[in-house]
Amino acid sequence: MKKVIIAAGTGFLGKTLIEYLKSKSETIIILTRGKSRIENNIKFVNWDAKTIGNWKNELDNADVLINMTGKSVDCRYNKKNKDLILNSRVASTAILGKAIKECRNPPKTWLNSSTATIYRHSLDKEMDEISGEIGTGFSVHVATSWEKIFFEQQTPKTRKVALRTSIVLGKNGGALQPILNLTKIGFGGKQGPGNQKLSWIHEIDFARSLEFIINNQKIAGVINIVSPKPTTNQMFMKTLRKLIKIPFGVSLSKPMLAFGARIIRTETELILKSRNVVPKKLQDHGFVFKYPNLKNALYDLTN
């Protein structure tokens, strides 16, 4: 690829993508609230994610625009944070759509972050892009609003794909590190009932799947970015304990999780919701995972 644009590329997933794509791309443009600067073939360009500025000129002639903008959901869901979570996603998506309309040669492909949390809590049914059932609640409202504004953008020359991503497991960020730290100090048992499903993907397969989508012009609409086989919370914790040789882990009940969530200012939904999501569309188009197995993925990430 000649030119890749990543909006909000300084977080965990953005850094994962940059590391993977920097040797495969001539130029990577990062839209950031930080200072504009250049590091080798990576150019950081300031934007506010709300209004049109000089940054819009970078979109011309891009092979792909990847939008990962949005306030972290790892916080308490009070009104202020709820507004920031929703508005940061909707506003950035809308302004990127406006910028694309003003391009003479708009990006060929636009990948926009979404979330696998859009599906309902499910212990039984696997949720794919065709038969998956949309849930209810604040997180689902954010996801549906995000996708609605994305697909409302009129971009006839730009293919659009919404990435319904679940938990990305990585060595240097994301959900795995705090779970690993808890396990090492003895709190590596099941969390809540333990039977809740957990859809996950290795950080390398996350980056590889996006590259696959960019190169496959037949893929459009929504797509699940998850590994082929969801696990359960209990099995995830058991596998992790075994790999790092921690023989025992204290389980955390719902009341204990609720108390802890208040202390560290987050929400129990991030742990207790059953995300039973599968990558039907990716596999139907021929994507082959490097880490389809949880044990192998965790072994790679913890060694």
Side-chain angles (χ1 to χ4, degrees):
M1 288 176 284
K2 290 185 177 181
K3 189 177 183 182
V4 175
I5 313 287
I6 303 178
T10 56
F12 162 57
L13 292 182
K15 290 176 180 177
T16 299
L17 278 179
I18 292 169
E19 186 63 30
Y20 183 79
L21 293 174
K22 67 183 182 182
S23 63
K24 301 170 181 284
S25 312
E26 288 184 16
T27 305
I28 297 178
I29 310 292
I30 308 299
L31 301 183
T32 174
R33 288 187 173 87
K35 292 182 179 180
S36 297
R37 65 189 192 278
I38 297 176
E39 297 177 5
N40 299 317
N41 67 330
I42 303 169
K43 181 180 180 182
F44 294 81
V45 177
N46 179 262
W47 80 322
D48 65 0
K50 298 176 184 176
T51 56
I52 290 288
N54 291 334
W55 59 265
K56 76 170 185 178
N57 299 325
E58 304 291 348
L59 271 59
D60 261 309
N61 301 305
D63 292 291
V64 60
L65 164 64
I66 305 171
N67 179 29
M68 314 194 77
T69 310
K71 174 180 168 53
S72 171
V73 296
D74 188 10
C75 61
R76 295 297 288 176
Y77 288 173
N78 54 42
K79 186 180 186 307
K80 179 182 177 181
N81 284 337
K82 281 184 174 182
D83 289 345
L84 286 170
I85 288 169
L86 177 61
N87 294 336
S88 61
R89 286 160 172 75
V90 170
S92 62
T93 301
I95 203 64
L96 286 170
K98 183 178 179 182
I100 288 174
K101 289 177 192 174
E102 297 182 12
C103 288
R104 275 187 275 183
N105 296 299
K108 296 173 185 175
T109 299
W110 179 6
L111 308 185
N112 210 68
S113 290
S114 182
T115 172
T117 302
I118 197 168
Y119 300 110
R120 68 167 174 85
H121 176 98
S122 175
L123 296 172
D124 53 345
K125 179 179 177 179
E126 291 185 338
M127 301 293 175
D128 62 36
E129 300 90 343
I130 307 303
S131 63
E133 299 168 10
I134 305 302
T136 58
F138 169 69
S139 296
V140 173
H141 170 64
V142 170
T144 54
S145 300
W146 202 0
E147 291 188 3
K148 182 174 184 291
I149 195 72
F150 175 55
F151 289 114
E152 281 178 352
Q153 303 307 305
Q154 299 301 309
T155 60
K157 296 181 180 180
T158 301
R159 174 173 58 109
K160 297 202 294 288
V161 184
L163 310 170
R164 291 180 174 175
T165 308
S166 192
I167 296 171
V168 180
L169 303 176
K171 287 185 179 180
N172 299 309
L176 180 58
Q177 296 312 308
I179 295 173
L180 193 57
N181 291 337
L182 276 175
T183 304
K184 287 178 179 178
I185 62 172
F187 290 96
K190 67 179 182 179
Q191 297 153 337
N195 65 337
Q196 66 269 35
K197 296 287 187 175
L198 192 157
S199 293
W200 58 275
I201 188 168
H202 189 291
E203 60 183 349
I204 294 300
D205 278 334
F206 169 77
R208 289 179 64 248
S209 66
L210 267 60
E211 180 188 31
F212 181 81
I213 293 165
I214 293 165
N215 293 330
N216 193 324
Q217 296 296 314
K218 294 180 180 180
I219 299 175
V222 301
I223 190 164
N224 295 338
I225 307 296
V226 296
S227 63
K229 190 65 180 175
T231 186
T232 63
N233 173 270
Q234 186 172 21
M235 182 54 66
F236 182 92
M237 300 308 298
K238 181 179 179 180
T239 304
L240 184 60
R241 288 197 313 272
K242 187 174 181 180
L243 284 172
I244 63 173
K245 297 179 171 56
I246 302 293
F248 178 78
V250 175
S251 295
L252 299 174
S253 65
K254 283 186 180 181
M256 289 174 69
L257 286 171
F259 177 75
R262 286 195 296 272
I263 297 296
I264 63 174
R265 304 192 64 76
T266 189
E267 292 287 338
T268 58
E269 178 196 36
L270 302 176
I271 297 171
L272 296 177
K273 182 170 182 177
S274 187
R275 295 170 173 82
N276 196 1
V277 184
V278 292
K280 176 176 170 55
K281 208 166 179 179
L282 267 178
Q283 292 188 300
D284 284 352
H285 281 87
F287 182 73
V288 178
F289 288 82
K290 185 175 182 180
Y291 295 100
N293 177 273
L294 177 65
K295 182 179 178 180
N296 292 343
L298 289 176
Y299 179 81
D300 176 73
L301 294 169
T302 56
N303 285 272

PDB file of all heavy atoms in Angstrom, residues 71-81 85 257-268 270:
ATOM      1  N   LYS A  71     -13.567   7.655  22.932  1.00  0.00           N
ATOM      2  CA  LYS A  71     -13.166   7.578  24.331  1.00  0.00           C
ATOM      3  C   LYS A  71     -13.248   6.145  24.828  1.00  0.00           C
ATOM      4  O   LYS A  71     -14.174   5.409  24.494  1.00  0.00           O
ATOM      5  CB  LYS A  71     -14.067   8.471  25.194  1.00  0.00           C
ATOM      6  CG  LYS A  71     -13.795   8.332  26.705  1.00  0.00           C
ATOM      7  CD  LYS A  71     -14.686   9.218  27.549  1.00  0.00           C
ATOM      8  CE  LYS A  71     -14.589   8.849  29.031  1.00  0.00           C
ATOM      9  NZ  LYS A  71     -13.211   8.828  29.557  1.00  0.00           N
ATOM     10  N   SER A  72     -12.294   5.735  25.636  1.00  0.00           N
ATOM     11  CA  SER A  72     -12.282   4.382  26.182  1.00  0.00           C
ATOM     12  C   SER A  72     -13.552   4.097  26.985  1.00  0.00           C
ATOM     13  O   SER A  72     -14.039   4.957  27.726  1.00  0.00           O
ATOM     14  CB  SER A  72     -11.056   4.199  27.084  1.00  0.00           C
ATOM     15  OG  SER A  72     -11.130   2.963  27.777  1.00  0.00           O
ATOM     16  N   VAL A  73     -14.067   2.879  26.841  1.00  0.00           N
ATOM     17  CA  VAL A  73     -15.255   2.469  27.601  1.00  0.00           C
ATOM     18  C   VAL A  73     -14.871   1.958  28.993  1.00  0.00           C
ATOM     19  O   VAL A  73     -15.740   1.596  29.791  1.00  0.00           O
ATOM     20  CB  VAL A  73     -16.056   1.384  26.852  1.00  0.00           C
ATOM     21  CG1 VAL A  73     -16.598   1.933  25.544  1.00  0.00           C
ATOM     22  CG2 VAL A  73     -15.203   0.142  26.613  1.00  0.00           C
ATOM     23  N   ASP A  74     -13.580   1.928  29.281  1.00  0.00           N
ATOM     24  CA  ASP A  74     -13.097   1.473  30.590  1.00  0.00           C
ATOM     25  C   ASP A  74     -13.198   2.623  31.588  1.00  0.00           C
ATOM     26  O   ASP A  74     -12.200   3.230  31.987  1.00  0.00           O
ATOM     27  CB  ASP A  74     -11.659   0.977  30.469  1.00  0.00           C
ATOM     28  CG  ASP A  74     -11.174   0.311  31.760  1.00  0.00           C
ATOM     29  OD1 ASP A  74     -12.018   0.083  32.648  1.00  0.00           O
ATOM     30  OD2 ASP A  74      -9.969   0.042  31.875  1.00  0.00           O
ATOM     31  N   CYS A  75     -14.429   2.930  31.983  1.00  0.00           N
ATOM     32  CA  CYS A  75     -14.699   4.044  32.903  1.00  0.00           C
ATOM     33  C   CYS A  75     -16.084   3.829  33.509  1.00  0.00           C
ATOM     34  O   CYS A  75     -16.818   2.925  33.114  1.00  0.00           O
ATOM     35  CB  CYS A  75     -14.642   5.384  32.165  1.00  0.00           C
ATOM     36  SG  CYS A  75     -15.870   5.539  30.824  1.00  0.00           S
ATOM     37  N   ARG A  76     -16.446   4.656  34.491  1.00  0.00           N
ATOM     38  CA  ARG A  76     -17.797   4.600  35.051  1.00  0.00           C
ATOM     39  C   ARG A  76     -18.776   5.225  34.066  1.00  0.00           C
ATOM     40  O   ARG A  76     -18.487   6.236  33.426  1.00  0.00           O
ATOM     41  CB  ARG A  76     -17.861   5.364  36.390  1.00  0.00           C
ATOM     42  CG  ARG A  76     -17.029   4.751  37.477  1.00  0.00           C
ATOM     43  CD  ARG A  76     -17.477   3.347  37.853  1.00  0.00           C
ATOM     44  NE  ARG A  76     -18.737   3.327  38.597  1.00  0.00           N
ATOM     45  CZ  ARG A  76     -19.362   2.209  38.954  1.00  0.00           C
ATOM     46  NH1 ARG A  76     -18.877   1.029  38.611  1.00  0.00           N
ATOM     47  NH2 ARG A  76     -20.478   2.256  39.632  1.00  0.00           N
ATOM     48  N   TYR A  77     -19.956   4.594  33.942  1.00  0.00           N
ATOM     49  CA  TYR A  77     -20.939   5.085  32.982  1.00  0.00           C
ATOM     50  C   TYR A  77     -21.849   6.150  33.612  1.00  0.00           C
ATOM     51  O   TYR A  77     -23.063   5.970  33.729  1.00  0.00           O
ATOM     52  CB  TYR A  77     -21.769   3.926  32.435  1.00  0.00           C
ATOM     53  CG  TYR A  77     -21.022   3.013  31.489  1.00  0.00           C
ATOM     54  CD1 TYR A  77     -21.603   1.836  31.033  1.00  0.00           C
ATOM     55  CD2 TYR A  77     -19.741   3.320  31.047  1.00  0.00           C
ATOM     56  CE1 TYR A  77     -20.926   0.982  30.173  1.00  0.00           C
ATOM     57  CE2 TYR A  77     -19.055   2.480  30.194  1.00  0.00           C
ATOM     58  CZ  TYR A  77     -19.648   1.310  29.761  1.00  0.00           C
ATOM     59  OH  TYR A  77     -18.979   0.475  28.898  1.00  0.00           O
ATOM     60  N   ASN A  78     -21.234   7.263  34.033  1.00  0.00           N
ATOM     61  CA  ASN A  78     -22.045   8.407  34.455  1.00  0.00           C
ATOM     62  C   ASN A  78     -22.411   9.227  33.210  1.00  0.00           C
ATOM     63  O   ASN A  78     -21.941   8.940  32.099  1.00  0.00           O
ATOM     64  CB  ASN A  78     -21.295   9.257  35.484  1.00  0.00           C
ATOM     65  CG  ASN A  78     -19.920   9.694  34.997  1.00  0.00           C
ATOM     66  OD1 ASN A  78     -19.761  10.088  33.843  1.00  0.00           O
ATOM     67  ND2 ASN A  78     -18.918   9.626  35.869  1.00  0.00           N
ATOM     68  N   LYS A  79     -23.240  10.256  33.399  1.00  0.00           N
ATOM     69  CA  LYS A  79     -23.736  10.990  32.234  1.00  0.00           C
ATOM     70  C   LYS A  79     -22.606  11.633  31.427  1.00  0.00           C
ATOM     71  O   LYS A  79     -22.595  11.581  30.191  1.00  0.00           O
ATOM     72  CB  LYS A  79     -24.732  12.073  32.665  1.00  0.00           C
ATOM     73  CG  LYS A  79     -25.384  12.779  31.472  1.00  0.00           C
ATOM     74  CD  LYS A  79     -26.356  13.833  31.881  1.00  0.00           C
ATOM     75  CE  LYS A  79     -27.093  14.412  30.670  1.00  0.00           C
ATOM     76  NZ  LYS A  79     -26.187  14.895  29.605  1.00  0.00           N
ATOM     77  N   LYS A  80     -21.640  12.213  32.134  1.00  0.00           N
ATOM     78  CA  LYS A  80     -20.535  12.879  31.430  1.00  0.00           C
ATOM     79  C   LYS A  80     -19.769  11.888  30.564  1.00  0.00           C
ATOM     80  O   LYS A  80     -19.499  12.146  29.384  1.00  0.00           O
ATOM     81  CB  LYS A  80     -19.595  13.528  32.442  1.00  0.00           C
ATOM     82  CG  LYS A  80     -18.403  14.216  31.802  1.00  0.00           C
ATOM     83  CD  LYS A  80     -17.472  14.800  32.855  1.00  0.00           C
ATOM     84  CE  LYS A  80     -16.236  15.426  32.205  1.00  0.00           C
ATOM     85  NZ  LYS A  80     -15.290  15.976  33.205  1.00  0.00           N
ATOM     86  N   ASN A  81     -19.413  10.748  31.142  1.00  0.00           N
ATOM     87  CA  ASN A  81     -18.652   9.755  30.389  1.00  0.00           C
ATOM     88  C   ASN A  81     -19.475   9.127  29.273  1.00  0.00           C
ATOM     89  O   ASN A  81     -18.956   8.831  28.190  1.00  0.00           O
ATOM     90  CB  ASN A  81     -18.124   8.672  31.325  1.00  0.00           C
ATOM     91  CG  ASN A  81     -16.940   9.143  32.141  1.00  0.00           C
ATOM     92  OD1 ASN A  81     -16.237  10.088  31.760  1.00  0.00           O
ATOM     93  ND2 ASN A  81     -16.711   8.511  33.280  1.00  0.00           N
ATOM     94  N   ILE A  85     -18.303   9.087  25.465  1.00  0.00           N
ATOM     95  CA  ILE A  85     -18.159   7.812  24.751  1.00  0.00           C
ATOM     96  C   ILE A  85     -18.936   7.851  23.435  1.00  0.00           C
ATOM     97  O   ILE A  85     -18.420   7.487  22.369  1.00  0.00           O
ATOM     98  CB  ILE A  85     -18.637   6.638  25.626  1.00  0.00           C
ATOM     99  CG1 ILE A  85     -17.635   6.379  26.759  1.00  0.00           C
ATOM    100  CG2 ILE A  85     -18.821   5.369  24.791  1.00  0.00           C
ATOM    101  CD1 ILE A  85     -18.142   5.428  27.827  1.00  0.00           C
ATOM    102  N   LEU A 257     -17.023  -8.022  42.224  1.00  0.00           N
ATOM    103  CA  LEU A 257     -16.679  -7.328  40.994  1.00  0.00           C
ATOM    104  C   LEU A 257     -17.276  -5.922  40.970  1.00  0.00           C
ATOM    105  O   LEU A 257     -16.625  -4.963  40.548  1.00  0.00           O
ATOM    106  CB  LEU A 257     -17.183  -8.117  39.781  1.00  0.00           C
ATOM    107  CG  LEU A 257     -16.399  -9.382  39.422  1.00  0.00           C
ATOM    108  CD1 LEU A 257     -17.146 -10.164  38.344  1.00  0.00           C
ATOM    109  CD2 LEU A 257     -14.994  -9.044  38.949  1.00  0.00           C
ATOM    110  N   ALA A 258     -18.533  -5.813  41.426  1.00  0.00           N
ATOM    111  CA  ALA A 258     -19.192  -4.508  41.463  1.00  0.00           C
ATOM    112  C   ALA A 258     -18.452  -3.548  42.397  1.00  0.00           C
ATOM    113  O   ALA A 258     -18.256  -2.369  42.073  1.00  0.00           O
ATOM    114  CB  ALA A 258     -20.647  -4.666  41.903  1.00  0.00           C
ATOM    115  N   PHE A 259     -18.030  -4.064  43.550  1.00  0.00           N
ATOM    116  CA  PHE A 259     -17.281  -3.243  44.500  1.00  0.00           C
ATOM    117  C   PHE A 259     -15.942  -2.815  43.894  1.00  0.00           C
ATOM    118  O   PHE A 259     -15.559  -1.634  43.950  1.00  0.00           O
ATOM    119  CB  PHE A 259     -17.042  -4.015  45.798  1.00  0.00           C
ATOM    120  CG  PHE A 259     -16.208  -3.277  46.804  1.00  0.00           C
ATOM    121  CD1 PHE A 259     -16.757  -2.227  47.533  1.00  0.00           C
ATOM    122  CD2 PHE A 259     -14.884  -3.623  47.004  1.00  0.00           C
ATOM    123  CE1 PHE A 259     -15.986  -1.531  48.465  1.00  0.00           C
ATOM    124  CE2 PHE A 259     -14.104  -2.937  47.933  1.00  0.00           C
ATOM    125  CZ  PHE A 259     -14.659  -1.882  48.655  1.00  0.00           C
ATOM    126  N   GLY A 260     -15.236  -3.761  43.288  1.00  0.00           N
ATOM    127  CA  GLY A 260     -13.948  -3.459  42.681  1.00  0.00           C
ATOM    128  C   GLY A 260     -14.068  -2.477  41.521  1.00  0.00           C
ATOM    129  O   GLY A 260     -13.220  -1.607  41.339  1.00  0.00           O
ATOM    130  N   ALA A 261     -15.143  -2.627  40.741  1.00  0.00           N
ATOM    131  CA  ALA A 261     -15.354  -1.739  39.605  1.00  0.00           C
ATOM    132  C   ALA A 261     -15.538  -0.290  40.058  1.00  0.00           C
ATOM    133  O   ALA A 261     -15.059   0.644  39.407  1.00  0.00           O
ATOM    134  CB  ALA A 261     -16.566  -2.196  38.792  1.00  0.00           C
ATOM    135  N   ARG A 262     -16.227  -0.113  41.174  1.00  0.00           N
ATOM    136  CA  ARG A 262     -16.393   1.245  41.706  1.00  0.00           C
ATOM    137  C   ARG A 262     -15.054   1.822  42.150  1.00  0.00           C
ATOM    138  O   ARG A 262     -14.773   3.003  41.935  1.00  0.00           O
ATOM    139  CB  ARG A 262     -17.382   1.244  42.866  1.00  0.00           C
ATOM    140  CG  ARG A 262     -18.836   1.084  42.449  1.00  0.00           C
ATOM    141  CD  ARG A 262     -19.792   1.464  43.576  1.00  0.00           C
ATOM    142  NE  ARG A 262     -19.660   0.562  44.721  1.00  0.00           N
ATOM    143  CZ  ARG A 262     -20.337  -0.564  44.858  1.00  0.00           C
ATOM    144  NH1 ARG A 262     -21.183  -0.952  43.905  1.00  0.00           N
ATOM    145  NH2 ARG A 262     -20.181  -1.315  45.928  1.00  0.00           N
ATOM    146  N   ILE A 263     -14.218   0.973  42.750  1.00  0.00           N
ATOM    147  CA  ILE A 263     -12.917   1.431  43.238  1.00  0.00           C
ATOM    148  C   ILE A 263     -12.022   1.873  42.078  1.00  0.00           C
ATOM    149  O   ILE A 263     -11.373   2.929  42.133  1.00  0.00           O
ATOM    150  CB  ILE A 263     -12.210   0.320  44.050  1.00  0.00           C
ATOM    151  CG1 ILE A 263     -13.026  -0.023  45.305  1.00  0.00           C
ATOM    152  CG2 ILE A 263     -10.790   0.736  44.423  1.00  0.00           C
ATOM    153  CD1 ILE A 263     -13.161   1.099  46.310  1.00  0.00           C
ATOM    154  N   ILE A 264     -11.964   1.066  41.012  1.00  0.00           N
ATOM    155  CA  ILE A 264     -11.070   1.396  39.900  1.00  0.00           C
ATOM    156  C   ILE A 264     -11.806   2.151  38.785  1.00  0.00           C
ATOM    157  O   ILE A 264     -11.256   2.375  37.712  1.00  0.00           O
ATOM    158  CB  ILE A 264     -10.404   0.129  39.323  1.00  0.00           C
ATOM    159  CG1 ILE A 264     -11.453  -0.835  38.730  1.00  0.00           C
ATOM    160  CG2 ILE A 264      -9.585  -0.585  40.380  1.00  0.00           C
ATOM    161  CD1 ILE A 264     -10.838  -2.027  38.010  1.00  0.00           C
ATOM    162  N   ARG A 265     -13.034   2.544  39.067  1.00  0.00           N
ATOM    163  CA  ARG A 265     -13.822   3.418  38.192  1.00  0.00           C
ATOM    164  C   ARG A 265     -14.011   2.815  36.796  1.00  0.00           C
ATOM    165  O   ARG A 265     -13.632   3.384  35.776  1.00  0.00           O
ATOM    166  CB  ARG A 265     -13.206   4.817  38.106  1.00  0.00           C
ATOM    167  CG  ARG A 265     -13.033   5.470  39.477  1.00  0.00           C
ATOM    168  CD  ARG A 265     -12.711   6.939  39.389  1.00  0.00           C
ATOM    169  NE  ARG A 265     -13.799   7.710  38.784  1.00  0.00           N
ATOM    170  CZ  ARG A 265     -14.927   8.027  39.409  1.00  0.00           C
ATOM    171  NH1 ARG A 265     -15.145   7.646  40.664  1.00  0.00           N
ATOM    172  NH2 ARG A 265     -15.850   8.743  38.799  1.00  0.00           N
ATOM    173  N   THR A 266     -14.621   1.620  36.794  1.00  0.00           N
ATOM    174  CA  THR A 266     -14.995   0.998  35.541  1.00  0.00           C
ATOM    175  C   THR A 266     -16.357   0.333  35.717  1.00  0.00           C
ATOM    176  O   THR A 266     -17.039   0.579  36.710  1.00  0.00           O
ATOM    177  CB  THR A 266     -13.916  -0.013  35.085  1.00  0.00           C
ATOM    178  OG1 THR A 266     -14.227  -0.446  33.759  1.00  0.00           O
ATOM    179  CG2 THR A 266     -13.817  -1.197  36.026  1.00  0.00           C
ATOM    180  N   GLU A 267     -16.771  -0.507  34.767  1.00  0.00           N
ATOM    181  CA  GLU A 267     -18.079  -1.147  34.815  1.00  0.00           C
ATOM    182  C   GLU A 267     -17.948  -2.666  34.721  1.00  0.00           C
ATOM    183  O   GLU A 267     -17.091  -3.182  33.992  1.00  0.00           O
ATOM    184  CB  GLU A 267     -18.971  -0.647  33.677  1.00  0.00           C
ATOM    185  CG  GLU A 267     -19.382   0.821  33.801  1.00  0.00           C
ATOM    186  CD  GLU A 267     -20.414   1.066  34.896  1.00  0.00           C
ATOM    187  OE1 GLU A 267     -21.116   0.111  35.275  1.00  0.00           O
ATOM    188  OE2 GLU A 267     -20.506   2.218  35.360  1.00  0.00           O
ATOM    189  N   THR A 268     -18.805  -3.387  35.445  1.00  0.00           N
ATOM    190  CA  THR A 268     -18.740  -4.860  35.432  1.00  0.00           C
ATOM    191  C   THR A 268     -19.205  -5.440  34.096  1.00  0.00           C
ATOM    192  O   THR A 268     -18.900  -6.596  33.793  1.00  0.00           O
ATOM    193  CB  THR A 268     -19.608  -5.452  36.552  1.00  0.00           C
ATOM    194  OG1 THR A 268     -20.963  -4.997  36.395  1.00  0.00           O
ATOM    195  CG2 THR A 268     -19.086  -5.043  37.918  1.00  0.00           C
ATOM    196  N   LEU A 270     -18.084  -5.007  31.290  1.00  0.00           N
ATOM    197  CA  LEU A 270     -16.919  -5.370  30.487  1.00  0.00           C
ATOM    198  C   LEU A 270     -16.483  -6.809  30.749  1.00  0.00           C
ATOM    199  O   LEU A 270     -15.850  -7.441  29.906  1.00  0.00           O
ATOM    200  CB  LEU A 270     -15.758  -4.409  30.778  1.00  0.00           C
ATOM    201  CG  LEU A 270     -16.045  -2.925  30.527  1.00  0.00           C
ATOM    202  CD1 LEU A 270     -14.854  -2.072  30.941  1.00  0.00           C
ATOM    203  CD2 LEU A 270     -16.397  -2.676  29.062  1.00  0.00           C
TER     204      LEU A 270
END
